[in-house]
Amino acid sequence: MSSFVLYLIGFAILIGGIAWALVEAGVPHLYIIIASVILTGIGILKAVSHTRTKDISRN
């Protein structure tokens, strides 16, 4: 399994835990969904930036 997929799985587990905590705290569902979408975007951006290979340019 690629490190990109592992990174996304870990981030999905993190988002799930945060969403669960917000539900238990009584936060409205709309705010939980908005926070989850934002965190998903951040997770994808971080996964791409941490796992992409560096381009080697030749002179």
Side-chain angles (χ1 to χ4, degrees):
M1 200 180 296
S2 72
S3 58
F4 178 78
V5 174
L6 290 173
Y7 197 94
L8 287 181
I9 289 172
F11 213 83
I13 293 170
L14 175 70
I15 292 171
I18 291 171
W20 185 12
L22 292 174
V23 167
E24 292 297 321
V27 175
H29 289 260
L30 178 63
Y31 295 142
I32 296 171
I33 292 169
I34 291 169
S36 297
V37 169
I38 292 170
L39 287 174
T40 301
I42 292 170
I44 291 171
L45 289 174
K46 288 182 66 73
V48 168
S49 68
H50 284 266
T51 59
R52 69 178 168 158
T53 58
K54 303 294 182 201
D55 292 333
I56 301 173
S57 61
R58 296 183 181 192
N59 294 332

